[in-house]
Amino acid sequence: MAEAMPITPAVVTWARERAGFSIDAAISDFRKIVEWEAGEAFPSYPQLEKMAEKFKVPVAVFFFPAPPDLPPIEETFRTLGPDQIAEIPPRIRLLLRKARTFQMGVEELNGGRNPAERLITRDLAFRPTDRIEEIAAEVRAYLGVTMEQQFAWGNAETALEEWRKVLLGVGVYVFKDSFREPDYSGFCLYDDEFPIIYVNNTTAKTRQIFTLFHELAHLLFHTSGVDRTGDGFADELVGDNQRIEVICNRMAACLLVPEDTFDATFAGQALTEATAAELAQLFSVSREFIFRKFLDRDLITPGEYDQAARRWAEQGQRGTGGDHYNTKIAYLGTEYINLAFQRFYQNRIDYNQLADILDTKPKNLTRLEEYVSRRVP
């Protein structure tokens, strides 16, 4: 007989009602759901997984002591207008709930206190009227990464992992997932103690790096935010909200490629796509990013920029999936996974809680731990 999962009955009711299912409608898939909601019986893990999929919530939510206090999406993303809120597709809404689950998992694993010695969102504060270049310079100085260090990383894959470690060191956790919505590069969820950034793993590594700092800028304004592709997104916003979105884009650009450093490295080089590729690798940004800087300096025409950007986009620098366990490690990060296993061996969480916190089936935990142990610290 399959082991019964000790879930919280009130959460089952919350999840069902939130997904818009009546009891009669839910019974067709879960004949014992009335008993589950009454606390008179509990589902098996396969039944729990099926219910999580049906009601579009993470499995871990069902073990919460009470229904989660999730603010409406309008409150979470205060900088977005009603039209932008309405455009958020179901897949992204699901990932928002999943991200909130990870955020609560981080809080639980750390006993409610961020372990970082410094918390960037607490130490730095900016206004929408501040000069973007000064914001970028102050943030970069706080992170403590020199241009020499950035250049030494050598490629975007290494740079992405290093930037992720840097952000964790200042209290910002980064998670990744397959968004299945190409227009969405990432989002962030602000919290006074555990701010997190969630990145679309199927975008190019250079785009993921840019997303890290776009979302970091949102967090520094103490708001959750979304990173969408396309120049028209910011134009749809108004007032300070539009200004903040512009700052997020420009701060990311100025931090990754400071103007004076760019001028010094570009000086004396030919104005070619090969030069753009070389500079892109040096800074660990995209070729389009560098070509855009050429365009902003009137060194190339809009037509030349558009032609090159379209051609590079068609080359499809998208993630290709791969081994399940390596993908899981990329999504969650080795630090988060190791912390979860540490708390398990300290008997602070049980095996099922460990599986839920790591968004992994219990039968796969041993293999996941083996994969993580092979990683070089």
Side-chain angles (χ1 to χ4, degrees):
M1 183 175 179
E3 180 184 0
M5 296 291 102
I7 59 173
T8 304
V11 176
V12 179
T13 304
W14 169 84
R16 173 181 58 77
E17 293 178 344
R18 191 172 189 272
F21 288 92
S22 65
I23 278 287
D24 291 339
I27 284 176
S28 62
D29 290 293
F30 311 104
R31 62 184 182 85
K32 291 189 176 182
I33 194 168
V34 174
E35 298 172 58
W36 297 345
E37 292 190 16
E40 298 170 356
F42 296 99
S44 65
Y45 197 85
Q47 289 172 324
L48 184 58
E49 285 187 311
K50 182 180 178 181
M51 187 162 56
E53 174 63 27
K54 187 73 173 181
F55 297 157
K56 302 301 181 186
V57 295
V59 169
V61 169
F62 290 100
F63 293 93
F64 288 177
D69 182 18
L70 299 180
I73 197 168
E74 294 83 359
E75 183 179 333
T76 299
F77 296 105
R78 299 192 308 272
T79 60
L80 301 184
D83 292 340
Q84 289 76 44
I85 293 292
E87 291 173 358
I88 296 178
R91 171 66 181 174
I92 302 302
R93 293 171 184 265
L94 171 61
L95 291 178
L96 290 171
R97 295 196 291 273
K98 190 174 181 179
R100 177 60 178 140
T101 302
F102 282 131
Q103 192 173 45
M104 296 174 77
V106 168
E107 182 177 3
E108 180 179 353
L109 290 172
N110 288 293
R113 183 177 178 83
N114 199 311
E117 293 183 3
R118 301 181 300 158
L119 184 55
I120 189 171
T121 51
R122 187 176 296 153
D123 294 341
L124 300 185
F126 302 103
R127 298 166 298 185
T129 54
D130 291 341
R131 290 187 68 249
I132 297 172
E133 294 79 7
E134 293 176 358
I135 294 175
E138 187 171 348
V139 173
R140 184 167 193 119
Y142 185 94
L143 297 177
V145 176
T146 67
M147 294 308 305
E148 290 75 18
Q149 288 174 297
Q150 183 176 336
F151 290 164
W153 291 335
N155 60 72
E157 184 171 3
T158 300
L160 177 60
E161 291 308 308
E162 292 299 324
W163 281 126
R164 191 174 183 176
K165 292 175 186 176
V166 168
L167 291 179
L168 181 63
V170 295
V172 180
Y173 282 79
V174 176
F175 297 97
K176 303 204 289 183
D177 214 314
S178 173
F179 278 31
R180 303 175 200 164
E181 292 286 346
D183 291 342
Y184 287 80
S185 299
F187 58 83
C188 63
L189 295 181
Y190 177 76
D191 183 78
D192 287 342
E193 196 70 31
F194 294 100
I196 70 169
I197 295 172
Y198 216 78
V199 178
N200 186 351
N201 193 59
T202 56
T203 61
K205 294 293 192 296
T206 52
R207 181 66 206 185
Q208 293 180 44
I209 292 171
F210 188 90
T211 297
L212 289 181
F213 292 100
H214 176 100
E215 300 307 335
L216 178 62
H218 271 291
L219 294 174
L220 292 172
F221 282 99
H222 290 193
T223 180
S224 302
V226 177
D227 184 11
R228 288 186 58 185
T229 57
D231 294 334
F233 178 65
D235 296 337
E236 299 173 1
L237 305 175
V238 297
D240 276 354
N241 293 339
Q242 184 182 70
R243 173 69 176 164
I244 289 174
E245 190 64 26
V246 171
I247 289 174
C248 291
N249 280 328
R250 289 193 57 197
M251 191 211 82
C254 290
L255 188 146
L256 290 168
V257 186
E259 294 293 322
D260 56 348
T261 306
F262 176 80
D263 290 338
T265 53
F266 175 55
Q269 297 202 54
L271 192 67
T272 64
E273 290 187 15
T275 296
E278 181 181 335
L279 291 173
Q281 183 173 2
L282 181 65
F283 286 97
S284 296
V285 297
S286 68
R287 291 170 294 180
E288 182 182 354
F289 183 109
I290 299 298
F291 238 52
R292 184 59 183 249
K293 296 189 81 66
F294 290 171
L295 177 63
D296 292 342
R297 286 164 166 72
D298 294 323
L299 300 175
I300 59 174
T301 67
E304 289 174 315
Y305 169 80
D306 291 339
Q307 184 181 31
R310 281 196 301 269
R311 186 171 65 256
W312 290 328
E314 290 169 359
Q315 291 175 2
Q317 301 179 3
R318 295 177 62 83
T320 56
D323 180 271
H324 168 77
Y325 296 98
N326 284 327
T327 298
K328 179 64 68 175
I329 294 170
Y331 283 5
L332 302 182
T334 55
E335 293 83 0
Y336 177 77
I337 296 173
N338 284 330
L339 177 62
F341 275 106
Q342 180 183 13
R343 296 296 185 254
F344 169 71
Y345 288 121
Q346 292 171 342
N347 294 319
R348 291 172 57 174
I349 57 176
D350 62 29
Y351 204 64
N352 289 321
Q353 288 174 309
L354 176 64
D356 297 326
I357 284 173
L358 295 179
D359 190 33
T360 300
K361 294 180 180 180
K363 66 179 182 180
N364 294 334
L365 286 173
T366 300
R367 193 75 182 276
L368 177 62
E369 186 177 21
E370 291 174 357
Y371 268 69
V372 174
S373 68
R374 298 172 193 165
R375 294 292 180 106
V376 177

